[in-house]
Amino acid sequence: MLWRGWGEPEKEAPLPEPVRELLEALLGVRAPAAPAAGLDEVRLPPVALGAGALEELRAAVGAEHVRDDAEARVRHTRGKSTPDLIRMRRGDGSDAPDAVVCPGSHAEVERVLALCSGRRIAVVPFGGGTSVVGGLAPERGGFAGVIALDLRRLDRLVAVDEESMLAELEPGLRAPDAERLLGAHGLTLGHFPQSYEYATLGGFAAARSSGQASAGYGRFDDMVAGLTVATPRGTLDLGRAPRSAAGPDLRQLVLGSEGAFGVITSLRLRVRRRPGAAAYEGWRFGSFTEGARAVRALAQGGGRLPAVLRLSDETETMVGLARPDELGEGGPGAGCLLVAGHEGATPEDVAAARERTAAALSAYGGEPLGPEPGEGWARGRYSAPYLRDALLAAGATAETLETAGFWSALPALYESVRAALREALGSPLVMCHISHVYETGASLYFTVVTAQGPDPVGEWARAKRAANEAIVAAGGTISHHHGVGRDHLAAYAAEIGEVGVEILRAVKERLDPAGVLNPGVLVP
Ligand SMILES: Cc1cc2nc3c(=O)[nH]c(=O)nc-3n(C[C@H](O)[C@H](O)[C@H](O)COP(=O)(O)OP(=O)(O)OC[C@H]3O[C@@H](n4cnc5c(N)ncnc54)[C@H](O)[C@@H]3O)c2cc1C
């Protein structure tokens, strides 16, 4: 993956000239003064770990699995939020780990945790490195050094239990590799987030990820039937039945724990049969309010939802962002685009699902647009991160943020986040969509584009703080699927209250007494 951006470097492409001109006219976007730094120009702090610590790490996992060269350190610096990328483009490698350590088994993870606890070396569990909330940039203060614990060698499909529709997989598997291995058994997870190409199963569990097909397949945390976790205090092995009344569900302490309580080394995941047929289509609604009403009716109707259900607001539809490959083709007055993606065992199943959905959407004022808008969305479903790189290079800041709330609170949440972003950034382009729906509510996913000023990282930090405060005040959650990291700590503390914070601190102290696991992340 491109170290200062997204995807294969050869897929990097400049912004189409008409889009660049439009951004210049609308938002005052101008090319940055300096080009992006080269890999060898990134400024790194000296390696803080002494020879003794490095020797012990090599003994724990094998010498060839410990790297402290500049390239390995750069590639494990922070995650992939827009501020992360801007800082890398400017050659700022100040958060680089001192070394990258790749364990090959649960036992090796335990060994590394024991030695890092003894030597007070901070450990950052590292999956695909796609965190967008500062989940990979721990606080260094008071530690002898920082290692990135890269889980890429834990990449096996361990077992498939087709009778129970469960698969045991290791956490370092990237999503496409997991799908390939499961595909050989005719199975799928159905988890397709926009970061699909690079993110790992461990990262999905640790950050409570939700994929683009969550309406049909559910969130990742819903798929986790069981997991194994290495902590500095020993091993946790959780989940032995589909449901249990044996006390509180301790799996929930691990899901979303972002490497602060332990390292997930194995996952037992619910799987589904691969669909034999699919059909994607588009619908038009006159307004976001009308479309949201239709989506709510579907979610509360009791029937099976389409695998993908995604409603863009007026601005996102106008810009054409739902189909990044066809950016700028929405046009004014386009209303609001809804994409419905149906998947099923046979074409007949899909046809029946389409009919049910069509009846509900028509009843709420939806107008069918045929397959092209849906298929266009499906073609471009992983393109937006590449577009972000082109926008950054052209001098725009493009970033996303997300929340969720109950249906009755959603309109106010939507308006207050937009107002906060506009107030903080002047006249940015603020777009939104609903793509994860439940009977009781939905998530709101905002994309913001604005001109880069002299301090784009600081400007975005102020805007993000304002948006977070608006989310808390409007009763939404600080994250529906990106997690807490370091970026959401203050708002997370406000959301769970003092007692909630005390509980998190107590768990952290018990499982990680030396406090070496991802310090500064998750626990306020
Ligand atoms: C362009 C882009 C698009 C995205 N789209 C989506 C989306 O559609 N849906 C969505 O949910 N998210 C999305 N994300 C966010 C991100 O991909 C998810 O949070 C994902 O779950 C992170 O997986 P990862 O393997 O990259 O984890 P990392 O980024 O490597 O780690 C995430 C956090 O989990 C911890 N961690 C990682 N592995 C383990 C482990 N085995 N044990 C314990 N802790 C661990 C890390 O320390 C870190 O705190 C997107 C991000 C980007 C950059």
Side-chain angles (χ1 to χ4, degrees):
M1 160 132 72
L2 188 62
W3 60 274
R4 55 165 168 74
W6 187 258
E8 301 296 324
E10 50 280 10
K11 283 201 197 164
E12 244 190 328
L15 212 54
E17 193 49 25
V19 178
R20 199 202 58 72
E21 281 169 12
L22 195 69
L23 288 175
E24 186 172 349
L26 275 182
L27 303 174
V29 170
R30 300 254 188 295
L39 200 146
D40 53 355
E41 292 166 321
V42 177
R43 299 174 300 281
L44 294 170
V47 173
L49 293 175
L54 284 170
E55 260 331 294
E56 281 182 32
L57 288 166
R58 289 189 183 110
V61 300
E64 67 278 31
H65 302 304
V66 178
R67 286 180 62 179
D68 62 355
D69 56 284
E71 179 168 351
R73 294 177 68 203
V74 167
R75 289 187 180 280
H76 292 79
T77 302
R78 309 187 193 97
K80 295 290 180 188
S81 71
T82 295
D84 291 342
L85 300 189
I86 292 174
R87 291 175 75 186
M88 289 314 275
R89 293 178 71 89
R90 294 182 166 200
D92 172 1
S94 54
D95 289 317
D98 296 298
V100 179
V101 178
C102 301
S105 66
H106 176 89
E108 287 187 5
V109 173
E110 285 196 315
R111 230 173 279 152
V112 172
L113 293 184
L115 89 83
C116 287
S117 294
R119 284 183 168 270
R120 275 192 72 71
I121 298 169
V123 180
V124 185
F126 196 100
T130 68
S131 168
V132 283
V133 292
L136 298 164
E139 276 174 17
R140 293 187 79 102
F143 292 93
V146 177
I147 62 160
L149 191 73
D150 187 324
L151 295 154
R152 67 179 60 204
R153 290 177 63 216
L154 297 181
D155 64 353
R156 290 178 311 142
L157 167 62
V158 178
V160 175
D161 171 0
E162 289 203 41
E163 203 173 341
S164 313
M165 289 301 276
L166 286 173
E168 182 175 351
L169 297 125
E170 291 188 326
L173 269 171
R174 286 175 200 267
D177 295 328
E179 283 298 322
R180 184 178 41 77
L181 292 169
L182 289 171
H185 297 263
L187 302 171
T188 178
L189 286 171
H191 189 68
F192 305 108
Q194 205 177 56
S195 51
Y196 173 78
E197 294 164 287
Y198 293 96
T200 63
L201 303 185
F204 294 147
R208 281 194 192 274
S209 169
S210 191
Q212 295 169 337
S214 69
Y217 291 95
R219 300 164 55 87
F220 195 83
D221 46 13
D222 290 338
M223 300 174 193
V224 179
L227 32 70
T228 306
V229 188
T231 82
R233 293 290 309 280
T235 294
L236 266 171
D237 211 350
L238 300 166
R240 50 173 64 199
R243 287 285 184 274
S244 165
D249 185 351
L250 291 181
R251 286 174 309 178
Q252 301 301 328
L253 260 188
V254 178
L255 297 168
S257 63
E258 300 182 18
F261 295 163
V263 181
I264 300 164
T265 57
S266 173
L267 289 151
R268 269 85 66 202
L269 300 175
R270 177 200 80 196
V271 290
R272 296 261 166 86
R273 297 259 167 245
R274 285 216 149 191
Y280 282 69
E281 61 193 6
W283 287 74
R284 182 190 175 279
F285 285 88
S287 69
F288 196 44
T289 309
E290 268 179 39
R293 210 173 290 142
V295 168
R296 173 163 67 85
L298 264 181
Q300 294 176 341
R304 208 177 120 206
L305 288 175
V308 173
L309 191 55
R310 185 186 195 282
L311 173 73
S312 298
D313 73 354
E314 288 85 350
T315 316
E316 191 176 283
T317 304
M318 188 180 74
V319 173
L321 195 72
R323 291 180 279 164
D325 291 352
E326 292 142 59
L327 196 68
E329 289 180 16
C336 288
L337 174 69
L338 179 142
V339 170
H342 305 279
E343 298 187 357
T346 63
E348 292 72 33
D349 289 341
V350 169
R354 280 178 79 179
E355 237 169 74
R356 272 197 312 274
T357 305
L361 295 180
S362 305
Y364 282 84
E367 205 184 293
L369 299 174
E372 179 39 38
E375 288 169 5
W377 174 85
R379 272 197 305 277
R381 66 193 294 174
Y382 303 126
S383 308
Y386 297 92
L387 174 65
R388 176 176 61 164
D389 283 351
L391 286 163
L392 288 177
T397 296
E399 181 57 309
T400 62
L401 62 95
E402 41 84 53
T403 175
F406 298 120
W407 288 113
S408 55
L410 227 51
L413 189 56
Y414 173 69
E415 289 305 340
S416 57
V417 173
R418 286 188 344 144
L421 289 167
R422 272 196 236 108
E423 197 180 321
L425 292 169
S427 49
L429 201 56
V430 181
M431 299 164 272
C432 183
H433 65 254
I434 290 176
S435 55
H436 307 276
V437 299
Y438 308 91
E439 277 180 75
T440 53
S443 79
L444 293 174
Y445 187 94
F446 295 89
T447 303
V448 186
V449 181
T450 187
Q452 281 173 29
D455 172 22
V457 172
E459 287 150 21
W460 178 252
R462 280 187 291 281
K464 183 75 197 264
R465 204 173 313 124
N468 287 355
E469 283 164 11
I471 287 170
V472 173
T477 176
I478 192 56
S479 176
H480 171 265
H481 58 264
H482 282 168
V484 175
R486 285 178 70 181
D487 297 358
H488 291 158
L489 272 183
Y492 181 44
E495 185 168 329
I496 60 175
E498 271 176 40
V499 178
V501 170
E502 283 304 313
I503 293 171
L504 284 182
R505 288 183 183 154
V507 172
K508 172 87 177 162
E509 267 171 42
R510 261 308 150 101
L511 293 179
D512 177 22
V516 293
L517 278 164
N518 233 354
V521 168
L522 182 78
V523 184

